[in-house]
DNA sequence: CCGGATTTGGCAATCGGTTGTCATCAAGAA
DNA sequence: TTCTTGATGACAACCGATTGCCAAATCCGG
């Protein structure tokens, strides 16, 4: 009835390669396992010559510490989870790399999970990973605040690109970049402006809109929100109709993907860019300089955000103090997709 | 002298949240821990009413199995490692996603490591992860065959984009795509052709060159190899000089990044594309349709490669038979960067 | 040369599940 | 009524490393 491996209970269970354990070393070196353990990770606790001998035996036997066994006793797995909504979204590439780099530097292993844009799947992943990691980083999470706090109460946790009360939040400040962008547009002579918003549930999209609104007013531009717009190429292409209908001469998109989609659609329909429409993206993500004209965009320090998130997470794990508050500022990257508006 | 936490040996060690264990459940339900264990994962082994009661107590206590403890005894961590040279290389995005998806489906956790293009760092990562995972997938590895075989002898292992004897290798067949591309170029009237090669140590670049050479000859095109070319935008831009010097009318690049770099450089210098030069990329990676003209490219089934790699890896872990041999074929994606050569 | 301080290293418990073995008990067969 | 048989659940060993505690060995000054 069952096809499970009921026979051969041992024999095939341990590593086929049969890793050496501290017990093997102890036997060969003629000491006790506890001595081996101490020799290997409490330098000085053990007589220098004994320690040396043990190290040699360990090397001979090709010993590698079994992290699972250590984790069981210590409760520390030296592992953290990074959960994000969409691995293939280029916005996250640099963030992931930053996280991985810091993790590796601190001898932590990174576990990557994807929630495929679903809050439920995200909660699932978090719940599943919870007992196996020391901490969790949630990037652009779709979970409600309450659920996030509940997780944070059980494990060290940081959220990136979202502000949650009582939870360590890493969120780049969009203001400097947006201010610069709108100043830039105003200086070029634009009088009308639209913000292309992302998913309704996105904290970041909401925040960017509020700031853009404020800045546009301050510079005397007319300002409207167009959206929500799906954060994909197709979403950006589809929004063109509404942008043209609104009759604006400049737009800021929630992110580069939307901006690029819009740009491609405009070019395909033979519009003159940037003359007829100035487009500003957000994030300076991979590929934003491939377009023609190359996209003017607001760079988010995503790499640093990833690094910082993991640094903070680990200090939370180690129960250290959180030192300085560092600001992650955005900056405007001027490229070719913005220009003075053509006179009609 | 030492800042380590020597005091407070217990108390803070276990989960702050104090997870329930099977011992807690056993106590509440009035049975032994072994009964709890069996009730929870050997359905039928335990009296139905007892089992039900145990399940209820477990739910009440919010019990979650500790995977570390299970792993220690069983030797199975339900975790696999994916090691690749560069996380931010868009070629891998879909591959990573495919791997993650299959892993999640099979209740495996994916650990991601990056070797930063260094064979030594890659070996390091593999060595470090070895005792903590059930299997390893190496993508576009830079390690020598011998070292790979040595790893494979110790843990289930698969390599992607590389052929290594006696090791499970997943490698998409570049031939169909290359044949189609060269046929396409020949049909457009091209008589000369160059292959822009990638890193010298890349198995895939070598393979693609050999096939391209063969196909070009078969279609009566002149053919040269230009390179090696660093697989970055800058590398692609830098190669323009040599391409022009070679006087060819069509090129196939080792990958899209190189092709896009070349394309951007040509546009920036005012060349007429695709009239003066037809460019074909490889991989159909993210952003290859952002350019103007959009890049004609050879699509590699990277998503499937990622899925297949993990499926194979897991069946290796489970010691199952490897069923059918599936072919991963490449296919030509015609876009705008190829056209009939301008008459000079 | 002695007594106390300091090293040094072994014993055994522990982390949380898993499973082989075995005793017990009830039901069915003879 | 007795024996067989299967169902049920407890006991204890085990996975590999860590560490509190203690005893033995060594060193020191007086």
């Amino acid at each position: 009835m069952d096809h499970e491996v009921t026979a051969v209970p041992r024999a095939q269970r341990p590593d086929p390669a049969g890793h050496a354990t501290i017990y093997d070393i102890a036997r060969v070196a003629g000491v006790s396992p506890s001595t081996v353990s101490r020799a290997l990770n409490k330098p000085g606790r053990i007589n220098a010559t004994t320690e040396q001998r043990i190290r040699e035996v360990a090397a001979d036997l090709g010993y590698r510490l079994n992290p699972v066994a250590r984790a069981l006793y210590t409760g520390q797995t030296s592992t953290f989870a990074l959960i994000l909504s969409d691995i293939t979204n280029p916005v996250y590439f640099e963030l992931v790399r930053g996280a991985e780099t810091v993790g590796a530097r601190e001898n932590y292993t990174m576990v990557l999970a994807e929630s495929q844009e679903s809050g439920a799947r995200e909660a699932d992943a978090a719940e599943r990973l919870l007992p196996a990691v020391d901490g969790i980083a949630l990037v652009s999470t779709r979970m409600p605040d309450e659920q996030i706090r509940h997780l944070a109460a059980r494990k060290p946790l940081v959220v990136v690109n979202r502000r949650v009360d009582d939870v360590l939040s890493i969120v780049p400040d969009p203001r400097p970049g947006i201010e610069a962008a709108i100043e830039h547009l105003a200086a070029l002579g634009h009088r009308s402006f639209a913000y292309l918003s992302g998913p309704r549930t996105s904290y970041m999209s909401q925040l960017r809109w509020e700031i853009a609104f404020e800045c546009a007013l301050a510079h005397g531009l007319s300002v409207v929100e167009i959206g929500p717009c799906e954060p994909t190429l197709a979403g950006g292409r589809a929004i063109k109709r509404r942008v043209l209908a609104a009759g604006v001469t400049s737009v800021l998109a929630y992110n580069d993907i939307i901006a690029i989609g819009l740009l491609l659609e405009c070019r395909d329909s033979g519009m003159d860019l940037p003359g007829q429409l100035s487009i500003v993206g957000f994030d300076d993500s991979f590929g934003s300089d491939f377009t023609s004209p190359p996209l003017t965009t607001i760079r988010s320090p995503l790499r640093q955000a990833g690094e910082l998130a993991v640094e903070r997470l680990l200090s939370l794990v180690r129960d250290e103090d959180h030192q300085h508050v560092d600001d992650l500022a955005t900056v405007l990257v001027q490229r070719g997709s913005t220009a003075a508006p053509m006179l009609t």
Side-chain angles (χ1 to χ4, degrees), chain A:
Chain A
M1 196 204 86
D2 59 355
H3 297 273
E4 277 130 57
V5 189
T6 40
V8 202
R10 267 307 116 128
Q12 70 151 219
R13 249 227 299 102
D15 266 23
H19 255 165
T21 70
I22 57 168
Y23 294 86
D24 300 323
I25 300 177
R27 196 163 2 85
V28 175
V31 296
S32 89
S34 51
T35 304
V36 175
S37 173
R38 287 195 261 252
L40 262 26
N41 44 58
K42 300 270 158 80
R45 174 70 175 74
I46 293 293
N47 181 294
T49 62
T50 312
E51 182 180 324
Q52 188 50 36
R53 182 159 44 90
I54 290 176
R55 287 192 184 283
E56 277 162 17
V57 173
D60 278 1
L61 264 43
Y63 169 77
R64 308 232 98 218
L65 179 140
N66 181 331
V68 174
R70 166 180 281 178
L72 180 56
Y73 182 81
T74 63
Q76 301 275 308
T77 59
S78 291
T79 285
F80 70 91
L82 188 73
I83 304 182
L84 30 77
S85 55
D86 178 3
I87 302 182
T88 60
N89 187 329
V91 170
Y92 300 128
F93 303 156
E94 284 294 327
L95 195 150
V96 171
R97 164 172 272 185
E100 213 272 343
T101 305
V102 172
R105 193 221 301 150
E106 306 284 329
N107 283 312
Y108 266 70
T109 295
M110 182 176 85
V111 165
L112 194 67
E114 182 185 41
S115 66
Q116 318 250 25
E117 306 281 357
S118 139
R121 225 190 300 261
E122 193 180 354
D124 252 22
E127 209 60 57
R128 192 168 58 86
L129 260 19
L130 197 66
V133 301
D134 292 347
I136 298 182
L138 256 25
V139 179
S140 301
T141 174
R142 304 296 174 91
M143 287 192 276
D145 280 21
E146 208 33 70
Q147 199 168 8
I148 295 172
R149 269 192 288 271
H150 180 234
L151 280 173
R154 296 193 285 162
K155 278 277 175 184
L157 182 143
V158 352
V159 294
V160 181
N161 277 353
R162 162 102 161 239
R163 172 108 32 221
V164 178
D165 289 342
D166 305 321
V167 173
L168 197 43
S169 309
I170 307 286
V171 20
D173 180 10
R175 185 174 294 271
I178 294 179
E179 260 172 6
I182 290 185
E183 206 171 294
H184 169 60
L185 291 173
L188 287 170
H190 289 272
R191 310 302 310 154
S192 60
F193 168 84
Y195 174 75
L196 273 34
S197 58
R200 273 202 203 292
T201 56
S202 165
Y203 168 86
M204 257 303 173
S205 178
Q206 185 63 25
L207 180 60
R208 288 171 183 177
W209 158 237
E210 283 161 17
I211 294 172
F213 180 81
E214 208 179 286
C215 291
L217 278 192
H219 282 85
L221 275 69
S222 72
V223 49
V224 294
E225 178 186 12
I226 300 180
C229 177
E230 207 194 329
T232 60
L233 235 42
R237 297 190 99 113
I239 210 78
K240 184 195 102 178
R241 230 179 116 254
R242 292 183 57 191
V243 170
L244 294 188
V248 297
T249 61
S250 68
V251 302
L252 167 64
Y254 160 62
N255 71 14
D256 281 350
I257 296 290
I258 293 176
I260 292 172
L262 173 62
L263 186 149
L264 293 176
E265 183 67 20
C266 288
R267 291 212 104 230
D268 287 356
S269 63
M271 279 174 64
D272 176 41
L273 294 183
Q276 291 181 264
L277 184 68
S278 282
I279 302 177
V280 181
F282 219 115
D283 293 333
D284 189 20
S285 52
F286 179 89
S288 60
D289 50 346
F290 291 0
T291 57
S292 160
L295 190 67
T296 293
T297 184
I298 296 171
R299 175 179 300 153
S300 273
L302 290 166
R303 174 95 168 246
Q304 282 116 288
E307 291 173 351
L308 190 61
V310 175
E311 274 164 12
R312 293 305 189 75
L313 184 61
L314 296 189
S315 68
L316 210 57
V317 167
R318 294 166 179 149
D319 208 21
E320 295 166 359
D321 292 349
H322 319 314
Q323 52 284 59
H324 49 87
V325 179
D326 12 30
D327 53 332
L328 296 171
T330 50
V331 5
L332 179 67
V333 180
Q334 284 187 32
R335 287 201 279 250
S337 67
T338 43
M342 277 189 344
L343 302 176
T344 35

